[in-house]
Amino acid sequence: MFLQSFNTLCLLKLFQEILNTLKEKLEVAKSILADEQERMVMIQGEEQDFKEMIESEYRIRFRLMVEEMNFQSLQDCVFNPKLREDHLNQVLAFATELKGQSQETLQRLNDLGKENMNKLKESEGRLSGHICSLQKMTVELEKKCGKYTLMVLQNAGSSLIRSESLLLQCLEQAQITDLSLCQVTGMSRMLKVLQRAVTLDPKTANPFLVLSEDLRSMHLRNVQQDVPRSPERFVFSATVLGVESFTSGRHYWEVDVEKATKWQLGVSEDSASRHGDLPTASGNKALLMGSLMGTNYTFWAFPPLKRVSLRGEQMHKVGVFLDCESGHISFYDVANRSLIYNFSSLTFQGALRPIFSLCIPSGVTNSDSLSICLPPVSSCDVTVSPQSSLA
């Protein structure tokens, strides 16, 4: 009798341990399923954002092409039908080429989005089935444990085998493809024509920032400098504005970020507050934020604050393009000649100024620095055909 009770307790303990493990795995499976369903919503949003970004980038490229070809020359050809026809044919050829590139990129994005969604739906179905099996097995074992007799427990061998089979099944998320494969490549050569010699405004520089004599570079120091009081100075963030102020037209500048691990670039309304630490919801700034971890970059954009799908390796120069009239701002990886992110149809009040920011050190040595690149001397002597504009 004692031996029978002992065997019953041992089997009961085994069943209880398996039951607890099943319950734990059930909760894990439910968590992964919730994550997969959340990812389904997330990638739909990312795909839509990417689509809008691609469309707006090709629109701005066409506008730049029109400016690049200098339609003033068309006015000189008013009385020369042959020259006028040649110019118009050139525009049409370029527009057709751009449209083809745009459609090809959008189709690639659409195909990739469908592929990712199918993977997530398959994962969702697989996880749902596994959850159902775990729930049934849990109920079955609970009933057997509740009866608490040696005969019932000894005859539950098939339940143990099926339980072990369920526990051995690996639960993992679907492996989806990064949308950065749909990255928009190429940069208009007109950007070099529009490149500005931006300089830093010392009256706005945070005390942790040291500016170079030519006001084209900045680096962090671990202690604040003794600087003159200024209502324009940034107080809580290692930020400085450019001297230049833009209210109209198109402008482009490049920043060397190779020696910085965390940085922010973009534009800010001249009237924006200088006393905040993080971007505010007022929409008076448009920023791209880069964070280097090892050799990989993660990007965030604002407004609204969100993670950018694109991920990259070590970055050397970031190009910033501003079209005041259309409210368009693009950020480029200059070395790879590719788009990182863009904003379109933004609305600002008043003049815009370039903004540059690093991360204030927190007790550790930080020698991060940013440098503004000088425009090429020959940037005004560019003659371009439709094919070379795509380079």
Side-chain angles (χ1 to χ4, degrees):
M1 185 71 179
F2 171 77
L3 183 60
Q4 183 177 352
S5 299
F6 179 77
N7 289 339
T8 302
L9 288 173
C10 288
L11 282 172
L12 182 64
K13 183 179 179 182
L14 175 63
F15 269 73
Q16 195 63 53
E17 288 175 353
I18 293 174
L19 179 60
N20 291 338
T21 307
L22 283 171
K23 288 180 178 180
E24 289 173 5
K25 188 154 189 176
L26 176 60
E27 292 307 310
V28 171
K30 287 180 178 179
S31 176
I32 295 176
L33 177 61
D35 288 343
E36 295 293 72
Q37 291 169 339
E38 185 178 337
R39 288 170 83 199
M40 291 172 74
V41 175
M42 183 184 71
I43 66 165
Q44 286 178 321
E46 285 184 351
E47 184 181 347
Q48 183 60 34
D49 288 346
F50 233 91
K51 180 182 177 182
E52 293 172 2
M53 190 170 71
I54 291 167
E55 290 173 339
S56 64
E57 180 63 18
Y58 280 106
R59 280 197 302 269
I60 205 69
R61 286 191 184 189
F62 180 76
R63 291 177 194 149
L64 285 173
M65 179 275 300
V66 172
E67 187 170 318
E68 187 173 9
M69 293 176 69
N70 192 356
F71 269 86
Q72 182 62 41
S73 62
L74 288 180
Q75 296 177 4
D76 299 334
C77 300
V78 170
F79 301 107
N80 189 327
K82 179 65 172 67
L83 285 177
R84 184 173 57 199
E85 184 179 353
D86 288 346
H87 275 290
L88 290 174
N89 286 338
Q90 195 177 15
V91 173
L92 274 173
F94 192 91
T96 302
E97 193 166 353
L98 274 181
K99 184 177 180 181
Q101 286 187 344
S102 174
Q103 289 176 340
E104 181 182 339
T105 307
L106 288 170
Q107 185 60 52
R108 191 162 64 247
L109 175 68
N110 184 59
D111 293 343
L112 188 57
K114 286 181 179 178
E115 179 187 319
N116 283 339
M117 189 58 68
N118 287 337
K119 288 179 181 178
L120 288 170
K121 285 182 178 178
E122 288 175 9
S123 177
E124 181 186 36
R126 187 168 57 252
L127 285 165
S128 296
H130 194 73
I131 288 170
C132 183
S133 298
L134 284 169
Q135 288 173 330
K136 286 181 180 178
M137 184 54 61
T138 300
V139 171
E140 185 178 324
L141 286 182
E142 282 178 336
K143 286 181 179 178
K144 286 180 168 49
C145 288
K147 291 183 179 178
Y148 200 84
T149 64
L150 181 61
M151 182 70 69
V152 169
L153 295 176
Q154 285 177 332
N155 293 333
S158 62
S159 298
L160 287 177
I161 292 171
R162 284 184 285 121
S163 298
E164 288 177 358
S165 176
L166 282 172
L167 291 174
L168 288 173
Q169 289 184 30
C170 184
L171 298 178
E172 53 185 28
Q173 292 184 319
Q175 298 298 312
I176 60 175
T177 307
D178 201 307
L179 293 181
S180 61
L181 288 180
C182 301
Q183 188 175 15
V184 180
T185 57
M187 292 170 62
S188 170
R189 284 183 58 177
M190 191 60 188
L191 294 176
K192 289 296 184 181
V193 178
L194 298 171
Q195 189 168 349
R196 308 301 179 211
V198 172
T199 52
L200 304 173
D201 184 355
K203 295 192 300 297
T204 66
N206 179 274
F208 279 102
L209 290 176
V210 179
L211 307 187
S212 62
E213 288 187 10
D214 63 2
L215 300 179
R216 296 194 188 283
S217 65
M218 54 191 263
H219 72 267
L220 282 169
R221 56 180 292 169
N222 292 323
V223 294
Q224 295 190 52
Q225 301 173 92
D226 185 14
V227 294
R229 288 181 174 272
S230 169
E232 300 178 60
R233 194 175 303 284
F234 284 89
V235 177
F236 299 112
S237 62
T239 302
V240 60
L241 295 180
V243 171
E244 290 69 25
S245 178
F246 307 123
T247 57
S248 62
R250 295 173 183 143
H251 313 275
Y252 175 76
W253 57 96
E254 291 180 358
V255 185
D256 188 333
V257 299
E258 188 174 6
K259 296 179 180 179
T261 54
K262 291 183 180 180
W263 47 262
Q264 295 180 7
L265 301 174
V267 295
S268 171
E269 288 182 4
D270 196 18
S271 58
S273 170
R274 314 287 161 85
H275 299 281
D277 188 17
L278 296 173
T280 62
S282 60
N284 53 22
K285 297 182 181 73
L287 301 171
L288 176 73
M289 293 161 266
S291 178
L292 178 65
M293 297 290 289
T295 58
N296 295 317
Y297 258 105
T298 301
F299 298 102
W300 294 78
F302 173 86
L305 184 62
K306 63 181 178 182
R307 188 166 180 165
V308 177
S309 299
L310 176 68
R311 293 169 183 82
E313 297 179 350
Q314 178 69 50
M315 192 156 296
H316 301 284
K317 292 180 183 178
V318 175
V320 184
F321 169 72
L322 167 66
D323 185 337
C324 294
E325 277 72 22
S326 65
H328 182 101
I329 302 168
S330 292
F331 298 90
Y332 299 95
D333 179 345
V334 177
N336 291 332
R337 300 186 61 76
S338 58
L339 179 71
I340 301 172
Y341 191 78
N342 67 21
F343 300 93
S344 58
S345 304
L346 294 180
T347 302
F348 292 102
Q349 303 294 325
L352 296 174
R353 296 172 67 178
I355 187 169
F356 311 86
S357 189
L358 293 168
C359 183
I360 291 180
S362 55
V364 295
T365 301
N366 189 322
S367 57
D368 280 10
S369 65
L370 295 174
S371 298
I372 302 169
C373 305
L374 284 170
V377 176
S378 58
S379 62
C380 295
D381 301 323
V382 178
T383 56
V384 180
S385 65
Q387 288 73 25
S388 64
S389 284
L390 297 173

